[in-house]
Amino acid sequence: MKLSSIFVSFLVGAIPAATFPTENSAQAVSDLVTSKITWTGQVKPREAAVSITGTAEDIYKQIVEMNPNYDNELGLNSSHSAMRRRDVELIEKRASTSSDWTCTYGNDVNAESIGAGVRYLYSIANADCAAPPGSPGAGGCSVSSCNSGAGIFLCNDSSNEVHIPCTIIADNAVEVLINCQSTTYAGGNSWVTNTHGQIFSNDRSWNVILNRC
């Protein structure tokens, strides 16, 4: 097996999991999606929080349009320790994730595209991301990220709207990304790494899904 240099830098210490089915009979997450995530946080220091709805990519682009210096003031390049880039931390040190994950939910998506979505979630990590009310097995799901058909979904299994720090959504996506990988030879010097799966919060009131979008 071979991972690209981009992926190795993002997933230090990762060991690809055993191959899992490309398709399964799980309910399509698209049937549960009712919105995109709503981000609520500061765009500029010492100013009131604002709410923006969209994917992490959409939200980040709107933020930097409103404040071109966002990355340095409140984002990944700021002095806030909680916002510092976490790409190369070992997953075992991410206390915000649970061990309640499965690789049997969803369909294959490109792992590097998921990685791009994760980086956007970390880029808006100074605030919360929200998902609408839902119920167990029929969660209200918000599209957190969608890159080249690879989606990260925040799904709410409680009857109230849930607000989760965007960085925790990213951490949980990385947990699935690392544990649920299959890498296949695509000819020549080319290898393709795919992923899909689901991880539940410790209280099972919400979950994060990697699936097609």
Side-chain angles (χ1 to χ4, degrees):
M1 290 187 179
K2 178 180 179 181
L3 296 177
S4 71
S5 58
I6 295 174
F7 232 64
V8 170
S9 66
F10 184 71
L11 300 177
V12 172
I15 300 175
T19 301
F20 43 76
T22 300
E23 306 287 341
N24 65 62
S25 59
Q27 183 177 10
V29 70
S30 59
D31 295 338
L32 306 175
V33 172
T34 58
S35 67
K36 297 180 180 179
I37 55 170
T38 297
W39 177 92
T40 301
Q42 282 186 302
V43 173
K44 295 181 179 180
R46 298 176 295 281
E47 290 192 2
V50 301
S51 293
I52 304 173
T53 298
T55 64
E57 299 91 325
D58 298 334
I59 292 167
Y60 177 73
K61 290 175 183 177
Q62 290 187 53
I63 290 172
V64 295
E65 285 179 1
M66 298 166 67
N67 179 13
N69 202 36
Y70 168 79
D71 285 339
N72 293 324
E73 293 178 341
L74 294 167
L76 287 175
N77 299 329
S78 73
S79 60
H80 300 275
S81 61
M83 303 307 122
R84 291 174 185 166
R85 186 176 294 277
R86 302 164 76 182
D87 303 27
V88 297
E89 284 187 24
L90 293 177
I91 197 68
E92 289 79 2
K93 296 182 180 179
R94 299 186 182 196
S96 56
T97 63
S98 75
S99 57
D100 190 3
W101 50 265
T102 176
C103 301
T104 62
Y105 189 101
N107 299 304
D108 272 353
V109 292
N110 182 269
E112 290 192 26
S113 296
I114 290 292
V118 166
R119 288 189 287 275
Y120 273 110
L121 282 166
Y122 282 138
S123 295
I124 59 171
N126 68 309
D128 289 345
C129 292
S135 61
C141 294
S142 292
V143 182
S144 301
S145 174
C146 184
N147 282 284
S148 302
I152 301 172
F153 301 86
L154 171 63
C155 296
N156 182 8
D157 290 329
S158 70
S159 58
N160 298 310
E161 185 176 77
V162 66
H163 293 263
I164 308 298
C166 302
T167 186
I168 292 182
I169 299 172
D171 283 353
N172 279 269
V174 172
E175 181 82 22
V176 176
L177 183 61
I178 286 179
N179 287 289
C180 301
Q181 291 184 38
S182 63
T183 301
T184 57
Y185 179 61
N189 294 321
S190 178
W191 297 77
V192 176
T193 300
N194 291 317
T195 184
H196 64 251
Q198 182 178 29
I199 184 169
F200 291 89
S201 63
N202 287 317
D203 62 1
R204 294 187 70 85
S205 64
W206 55 270
N207 63 89
V208 171
I209 293 173
L210 307 187
N211 202 358
R212 294 175 186 167
C213 59

